[in-house]
């Protein structure tokens, strides 16, 4: 692996780990009221486009990063929908 | 601009716009209690690395996207710190 791809994978690890604290915080609080769902929908769309960009440009760091973040964004969307529904049912 | 860079800039617009709804929601609610600050710190770090990656790979879409998101992440961090401090002072 050359220096540029190593740099890309390092950047990718930080990008991927960005989504983990929010998922953890949501799971712990069992609430995501202040969390904007649009962020994660926009993320899923942009990750799909960046994955296409990475495939065409043959940039493995971009492909791997965006596929992983796409999955994490979908998890956060599911949690947001789940907890917002629970909040509504409990009257909060 | 070739097709790949156009795709990159389109992906970039979605990536950049990801950060706008959360900033808007934070400003409107004047609260960011459920928002994880780590996300935006990790974003700022990853954006710096991706910017370096974009410069070395000569990928304008990557450079522009990450410079803009870096600035948005810093704005969100400032808002989080400001509103969390206000919440503490008001006893929430």
């Amino acid at each position: 692996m050359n220096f540029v791809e190593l740099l890309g994978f390092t950047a990718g690890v930080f990008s991927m780990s960005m989504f983990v604290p929010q998922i953890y915080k949501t799971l712990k609080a069992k609430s995501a009221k202040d969390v904007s769902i649009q962020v994660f929908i926009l993320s899923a769309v942009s990750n799909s486009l960046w994955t296409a960009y990475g495939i065409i440009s043959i940039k493995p760091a971009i492909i791997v990063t965006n596929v992983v973040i796409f999955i994490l964004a979908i998890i956060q969307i599911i949690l947001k929908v789940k907890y917002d529904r629970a909040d509504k049912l409990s009257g909060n």
Side-chain angles (χ1 to χ4, degrees), chain A:
Chain A
M1 198 189 298
N2 61 24
F3 171 72
V4 188
E5 277 308 293
L6 190 67
L7 178 63
F9 274 105
T10 310
V13 168
F14 280 99
S15 298
M16 293 174 219
S17 62
M18 261 179 70
F19 282 66
V20 177
Q22 186 62 68
I23 292 175
Y24 175 77
K25 190 159 188 164
T26 301
L27 283 170
K28 210 176 152 200
K30 292 192 192 303
S31 169
K33 266 187 288 183
D34 289 349
V35 177
S36 173
I37 195 169
Q38 290 100 311
V39 175
F40 298 93
I41 294 168
L42 287 167
S43 175
V45 174
S46 79
N47 297 141
S48 311
L49 294 170
W50 280 120
T51 302
Y53 178 93
I55 291 167
I56 298 168
S57 314
I58 319 166
K59 296 284 185 192
I62 294 177
I63 301 167
V64 173
T65 301
N66 284 283
V67 168
V68 172
I69 298 178
F70 177 83
I71 295 165
L72 294 174
I74 298 297
I75 292 171
Q76 181 67 53
I77 290 167
I78 293 167
L79 290 175
K80 165 84 179 166
V81 170
K82 181 184 159 188
Y83 289 131
D84 278 10
R85 192 174 294 166
D87 275 343
K88 252 183 205 156
L89 288 174
S90 71
N92 289 326

